[in-house]
Every structure is written in structure tokens, then in C-alpha cells.
Amino acid sequence: MLAFPFQIRLNGRAALVADDSEECDAQQIAFLLLTRIGERPLAPEYGTPDPTFDVRGSSEADITAAIAAMGPTVDVDSVTVTPTADGTSSVEITFTR
């Protein structure tokens, strides 16, 4: 699978991530959370209500539900949304495979 975010290695090839790895799961979750619901025409339910994690936006419940519905097959252990000084939030997710 292509790495997210997209990167070019020094050898000129695209960076890859092993399909069945924890890093792949983490990148799939990041991609899901950075996509606004309705942004993908062929998968309109994919994403979260507010990928900027504005203080008024996505909650722990929204994030957990999105991962359960459209993310990789993982067990979400915890989701912590912490507001930052700029009005957005920092999100930390722990999961097990």
C-alpha cells in the first residue's frame, strides 16, 4: 500500500507500507479522520463530520464510530480529543489489532 502521506524515496520510488501491519492500520485511520463526510462521491459516508477537529467538531464517539464503520479491523482502546490554543484539537487513538 502507498504510504500516507505520499512520499518519494531517495531511489525515486513511492514509499510503501506493508498491507498487514500496524503502521498500515494507523495510516488508514489517519486518512479516514482527515476526510470530511461527503467528500468522496463514491463513498459519501466515509470520513468524519469535521476533519479539522474544531472544538465544535468530531467527538470521541464520532471518531470511534467512523473507525468501526469504515476503518481497518482494529479494536479501539481509547480516543482522546484535546483542544489546542488555535481552536482545533489534537487526537490520540490507541488500538489493538
Side-chain angles (χ1 to χ4, degrees), residues 1 3 14 22 26 29 34 44 52 61 71 95:
M1 178 173 134
E22 190 170 304
I29 291 170
L34 292 171
T52 64
F95 63 88

Side-chain angles (χ1 to χ4, degrees), residues 29 32-33 61-76:
I29 291 170
L32 171 67
L33 298 182
D62 293 332
I63 293 167
T64 302
I67 294 169
M70 294 164 274
T73 305
V74 297
D75 293 321
V76 176

